[in-house]
Amino acid sequence: MPQHAHAHTHAKVALLSVPTKPHNMSFISLIVKPLAYFGLPAYLLHRLSQSSPLVRYYIRNVLYICSLGLCSTIGFCSALPLSLLGRRYDVNYVVARTFYAIFSRLSGIDVVVEGEEHLQTRPCVFIGNHQTMLDVLYLGSLFPGGTRIMAKRSLKYTPIFGQFMQAAGAVFVDRGNNADAVRSLQAAGEEIKRRHTSIWVFPEGTRTSRPYHDIRPFKKGAFHLAIQAGLPIVPIVAENYWNIYHKGVANSGTFRVRVLPPVATEGLTAADVGDLATRIHEQMLQVLREISDPNAPLPPPHPLRPFPAEDKPSAPKETTPVPSVADVAGSGSQVRDVPEERPVTPHSEVTSEGSIRRSENDTEEEEGMVLVGRPR
């Protein structure tokens, strides 16, 4: 046989003897490589968080913001297909449940929900107590489908998160324009009833994170909305999780959330708003103290102070007529000027007329409805 024929035969044998790469190896690499890339940083962050409670606090806040940003992006992207399917108001449900699935694992915090059967009430106004930004986690554990949220208008312009909220049909309330707030509430009530959906509100208007068990007095906008539209109110109480999360502390653990039976508003008028808000506030406060740590410190003589004990503001509270969403009329767009107790903050100044002038250092949190804000 010619020499070149032998060479050709050996080349074929060598080619056939080269081991072929299984086709499924490329699929496995698509999974393994990202885990390798992100697994090491995640492990290092975990080890670093064990070194100091304060380091853990800041790491978890960063993870919280990143998780929320990711879920907001998911919500914004899912808004169009869900809208085409006629399920626009399920966007919040998708985002909330996704956020809980992600951040509960990153933080090691679980939420136990009691009374889930009451979440099936439709249409209705859901109201919950507001402690910290971590409330989004308990929202994620139980947020019902077909539910919108009410939020201050400034959140509308927050990058990514604001666009997601708009896509999900959030009701934005301008607290600096009462007539506009009235119109927003009326329109929201009519649409909720027509579409058989629901809305979520934090009626305290700001966060109440304290070592003792307390809920701030309610702003009345949600109760006006419920009475005007004849919607039941479903109160939801989250346990005081001060031992798990507050400024400088971020631990793992479990806390409870209890969904209370719906409160009917049929037959009530604008004159009943105050009594309704007070009655539900007392009911929620009683449940909060029932499901929270019994060994927590007792509240001070005046537990509904505007600041935790450590803040110790020296200036007294002042009372001044302030038109707000809490004082909208039962029907129409008129607003009543009702004396509303306004706290004097460390940065506030009391004028000679008895009103309060806020400095540029005051935060928006002291005035209105907040869904998500900076860590506190």
Side-chain angles (χ1 to χ4, degrees), residues 1-2 96 137 147 205 242 255 264 308 349 370:
M1 181 180 292
L137 188 64
T147 302
W242 174 272
F255 67 89
E349 175 185 353
V370 180

Side-chain angles (χ1 to χ4, degrees), residues 247-315:
K247 187 175 182 179
V249 173
N251 297 319
S252 300
T254 301
F255 67 89
R256 292 193 290 170
V257 176
R258 182 174 296 176
V259 185
L260 307 184
V263 179
T265 63
E266 294 178 356
L268 300 183
T269 67
D272 301 308
V273 166
D275 290 339
L276 178 64
T278 300
R279 176 160 52 94
I280 294 180
H281 179 277
E282 291 175 353
Q283 181 187 19
M284 292 177 64
L285 182 57
Q286 180 180 352
V287 172
L288 174 69
R289 292 171 176 170
E290 178 183 333
I291 65 176
S292 300
D293 180 11
N295 299 317
L298 296 175
H302 302 287
L304 295 177
R305 295 170 65 243
F307 296 95
E310 61 268 24
D311 290 335
K312 298 179 181 179
S314 57

